[in-house]
Amino acid sequence: MPIKQPRKLDADELRHYAMKLLSSRALSIGEFKAKLRLRAADPASIDEIVLQLKEYGALNDQRYAGHFAETRAGSGAVGKQRVLSDLMRKKVAPKVAEKAVSEAYAGTDEVALVEQWLERKYRNQDLGALLKEPAKLASVFRRLRQAGFSTSPSIRVLKRYAAEAEQLEDMAEE
């Protein structure tokens, strides 16, 4: 059974579709353009719509990235690197993303974030006993890295529970 392609829209229909997209949730300019490309009968009309929405202030990557980074930083669930990679995946310009992330995490103690993350993820377990096992220690370290926390603060916190955490630096360099 073939996949049904969405109907191509003329310029006016595309403008209405663009408004509908923006009313449902915030999008980066890159995400917005990609969604419009799927539906546009005339790809040239996309740039006109995007330019008009930028002028109105409805599309603004700095504001989008700032809000996204502030929200993620405030939750304490992820580190700087994860937020940065998420913004890049959402097609935000690298400089805009880096600025938003650095502002959102300014004054944040990453060691404290790592501690909070460990407490939340392993709240019903004895971390000291769990991290004595090298495989579990490596697994927790990988999870911290995947959550976007830097190597140094992650290892600093893990050393409190297991002396073998120093060996993780070698693993991080590979």
Side-chain angles (χ1 to χ4, degrees):
M1 192 162 156
I3 297 173
K4 184 178 175 184
Q5 294 294 323
R7 183 174 67 87
K8 298 296 183 181
L9 306 173
D10 64 25
D12 285 336
E13 292 173 320
L14 192 63
R15 185 169 278 108
H16 289 292
Y17 176 68
M19 295 301 187
K20 184 179 174 184
L21 279 176
L22 286 177
S23 69
S24 62
R25 71 179 185 93
L27 296 167
S28 70
I29 294 171
E31 287 178 306
F32 185 71
K33 283 182 175 181
K35 287 184 180 285
L36 291 183
R37 269 189 224 105
L38 294 173
R39 299 296 303 267
D42 178 21
S45 60
I46 294 172
D47 290 332
E48 179 185 325
I49 291 170
V50 169
L51 182 63
Q52 191 176 36
L53 290 172
K54 280 182 175 179
E55 287 175 5
Y56 292 156
L59 278 178
N60 185 330
D61 269 359
Q62 288 87 3
R63 187 177 60 222
Y64 173 79
H67 178 71
F68 184 88
E70 285 290 330
T71 303
R72 300 293 296 267
S75 74
V78 292
K80 289 169 72 168
Q81 293 301 318
R82 175 70 181 267
V83 175
L84 186 60
S85 68
D86 286 350
L87 282 170
M88 301 296 261
R89 196 171 21 261
K90 291 180 174 290
K91 301 177 182 174
V92 174
K95 290 189 182 217
V96 172
E98 288 170 7
K99 182 179 181 212
V101 170
S102 65
E103 287 175 2
Y105 281 89
T108 303
D109 181 16
E110 195 167 5
V111 171
L113 286 178
V114 170
E115 289 170 346
Q116 291 169 3
W117 187 89
L118 285 171
E119 287 174 20
R120 190 171 51 253
K121 295 295 179 180
Y122 298 98
R123 65 179 157 260
N124 296 329
Q125 299 175 12
D126 178 21
L127 271 175
L130 179 73
L131 298 177
K132 294 283 187 232
E133 192 176 327
K136 293 286 187 184
L137 178 63
S139 173
V140 170
F141 178 67
R142 281 191 304 273
R143 287 188 68 194
L144 283 167
R145 296 290 293 144
Q146 192 173 25
F149 296 106
S150 302
T151 302
S152 179
S154 298
I155 291 175
R156 194 174 314 139
V157 172
L158 292 175
K159 280 181 185 178
R160 296 177 191 163
Y161 300 102
E164 296 84 21
E166 288 183 23
Q167 297 169 357
L168 294 172
E169 290 175 349
D170 299 331
M171 185 177 126
E173 292 173 2
E174 293 174 358

